Amino acid sequence: MPPAEEGRLCLLLPADAHAPAPSPELGHAPLGEIAPDRLALWQVDALTLDPAAALALLTHVPANVIGPRPGLILGTDFRYWSQVAHLALALIAGQHIVPALVEMDGFAEARWRPWLENTAVLEQVAAFVRAMPPVCRAARPCKGTWKEPSPRELLTHVLGLLVDQAVRTWARDIAPGPTPHLVQAWLRALFTPEARVTDIPEEIAQLRRLVRQWMERAAPLSAGRVRFCLRLDAPDLEGEGIVAPTNETWTLRYFLQSRDDPSLLIPADQVWRSRTLKVLDRYVPNPQEALLQGLGMAARLFPPIERSLQQPRPTECRLSTEEAYVFLKDVAPLLEQSGIGVLLPSWWAQRASRLSARVTLRTAPAEEGAGLLGLGGLVQFDWQLALGDESLSPEEFLALVKLKTPLVRVRGRWVEISPEQIERALAFWEKRGRRSLSMAEALHVVLDPTSVSVDGLEIADVRVEGPLRDLLEGLEHARLERLPQPRGFHGRLRPYQVDGFSWLVFLRRWGLGACLADDMGLGKTPQTIALFLYEREQGITHRPALVVCPTSVLVNWKREIERFAPSLRVMLHHGPNRLREGAFVEAAQAHDVVITSYAILHRDVETLARVPWSDVVLDEAQNIKNPHTKTAQAARQLQAEFRLALTGTPIENRLSELWSIFAFLNPGYLGTLRQFRATFAIPIERYGSEEHTRRLRRLVGPFILRRVKTDRSIIKDLPPKLEIKVYVTLTQEQVTLYQAVVDSALEAIAGSTGMERRGLVLSTLMKLKQICNHPAQFLGESPDVTRLEGRSGKLQRLVEMLDEILAEGDKALIFTQFRRMGDLLKAYLEHVLGADVLWLHGGVPQKERQSLIDAFQSPSGPPIFLLSLRAGGTGLNLTAANHVIHFDRWWNPAVENQATDRAYRIGQEHTVEVHKFITVGTVEERIDTLLEQKKDLADRIVGTGEDWITELSTEELRELFTLRSEVIA
């Protein structure tokens, strides 16, 4: 991007007697009393950009943010012009541009102009004109006279500048070579930075006339406040039943239409009576000429109009039904693209005016609790043809076939029935009758009917009868029957937990898998235990249930079952001495619940698959988010009456993770992974399709129950959570190391590709994060506490904070993703604070893990618990802490939130303060800013760990890694 030039700009601004009023976006009070009509001219400092640089800037900043980084606020005018820049790109992408030859300062120049004659584009432009903030028109010459442009003139001018620069810049490779031919010279000038066309004045004038004539033929109303418009009116509707339109007459009426307000129409007969028209307080000269020009062009595209031109003052054209159908189907889009307004009957665009199919679904009553239906169960259905809102009998359908006309009247309504639809309907009618669908197919028909067709016909209506209606009503969570708490449950389930347990029982009854996605700490474990008890108290099953969880929470699951349901027989399947093959199968069937880990799942899958389980529960189900891992494949091999996934983050980054969880819960429901990517993942992740997002939500929503802790209707007694960013600075040693790594890494990254480049990026990121933590970690030094002092801004701030925390008698969790950094912190903190520091990482044995947790939870236990993010970020209950410190950041918000929820969960009685350390001017601050901008997209875009950063360009990486100047200074 070319550098901006400094300069002065004069703006007409509201002001008091001394200074202009502050921008309203700053939220400041006015300087003084300012009269509403008090405007004054003020000189301000400004940066000027050429159109190409302006386009790059305006389209680089997301349109839905207030500011691109902390401390910088975008004004209303910037956000408006940013939207205009995106409109310019949309015009180019839609090929709504035309070449022109204009006179500029006495010379002829080749320019690209936006083509604003399409109806949809006109409506967009009109909306932009109405929305233009007054500040966009505040610029004035500092001296001399000034004719203020209208909002439309200013908008058109800016669009022209942006479109011209973009096209000639991006298409410069197709510019023709130098040529003496004038037309070729004009074409060349359209694709090169030099827009001037040099030639003798007579030839230029002739070329200008040819271009103007070509433009007039292409768009008779390419300028002015009005354009030609056609409106098709259908014949009056009378009678009922199917009527053959043999003598029907349609009317095509002529108007002039306001560009600024398309709803304003001037009938042709009024135009013929007036030499001038007043439209929106402005006069339109030569309206009759505009009407004749439009009629001439429309007649070339639709010859029936020529019949009306034999009249001295044509106002309308009469059409047969066949001609009206041709106009509706083929001509109207061409006219709109040519800049002519077209108004069609409202029913034409309605789905209800076309031939479609209706379906009625029903099931036989299923045995209570047997779960025999499931996604593989069969659902009976009946099909019926419909035209509009009316069902068709076989006799009526045959009558339609005999009409052989595309537009018919059915019971007082005009509808389209094309030959293609007739063919599809005939094929459908031949196959009509009773057939069967799987439950998965039936749910797709009900939840997403627009995605399903029958022999090429759309489904207009779905009716459900019998027990299937009960299922669909129950899938609406609010309509579920609330069950009593199981008799053997020790304790009291909260109301929302009773709802969750009742929902699990309901889906189990139908053999459909469920994903309980409550926030961490809302008690997914007690709800699951209540399900186990209910199954056995009601005699629904006598088979054992299998719980698969991270190793760190094996004992926690066992203790929770012993606490809430002591009547259940529990077996741990873990460790080197665990039972194998037949011995395990026999022991498992003698228990109610078997608990194992993900590590054991894929190792012992053949043994585990031999047991007919009542339930298979995956705790922290994000462990199977990658469908290709051995763990995910092993989970899908297990057979059970009911499958349950427990996770607070069913989607951490990509939608394929959701597919993987559903492939376990309800196999085949979302199709194959390839089909899912084509149907949902690509449209949503790549193009942000709201329609596909809505469809996917409808499909998966009935099987996902999610409640959040911030919802006060769910939980009222959870204390507040305060999130605080702690900014620290680098020491001089850290600055030197950081700069050296960046300088060497960027050169290596620029010369690499593929996997080598990804590896270099991740390696560099890890090094920079280690330097931000402490030079000793990066240099691999031994944990000598005497050599750690004064070398890290983070460590210094951590000690200061912990001094205050200990003085208040509070407890803290400290998370780091580095085992080596944890070793350094434990040694140093115990040395300087004189307090015991617990340290949980992946190498701590299971029994020792539980003793660390018990010690910290004890009122007299150690006040500081240092945890590896991987080993301690999930499944633990550490409510004794009321401070959570993220010493080094993990660039996936979901993972950080899971770690925070070790303390912020049910049972926490104190406000939880979450401290996130960020080293200013470094990669940590840059990525934190990116995540703040993309919070709403983080689940779709930000990958696990730092993988997403490897996709950035070298220039973006340079911006990401490079130290800010104030840090170096």
Side-chain angles (χ1 to χ4, degrees), residues 430-475:
E430 291 175 357
K431 301 176 183 178
R432 72 188 187 281
R434 299 179 65 85
R435 291 191 293 175
S436 296
L437 288 174
S438 69
M439 173 60 76
E441 292 171 322
L443 288 175
H444 274 264
V445 169
V446 174
L447 298 175
D448 190 20
T450 59
S451 68
V452 185
S453 64
V454 184
D455 296 316
L457 292 176
E458 294 180 345
I459 295 179
D461 184 37
V462 180
R463 299 176 183 176
V464 183
E465 299 176 355
L468 187 58
R469 178 190 294 273
D470 299 334
L471 168 62
L472 294 173
E473 291 179 351
L475 290 177

Side-chain angles (χ1 to χ4, degrees), residues 407-447:
L407 293 173
V408 297
R409 295 191 304 186
V410 177
R411 301 188 182 101
R413 173 180 294 177
W414 282 100
V415 295
E416 174 197 9
I417 178 167
S418 66
E420 295 82 5
Q421 289 179 311
I422 290 288
E423 291 180 8
R424 296 185 190 128
L426 286 171
F428 161 78
W429 208 263
E430 291 175 357
K431 301 176 183 178
R432 72 188 187 281
R434 299 179 65 85
R435 291 191 293 175
S436 296
L437 288 174
S438 69
M439 173 60 76
E441 292 171 322
L443 288 175
H444 274 264
V445 169
V446 174
L447 298 175

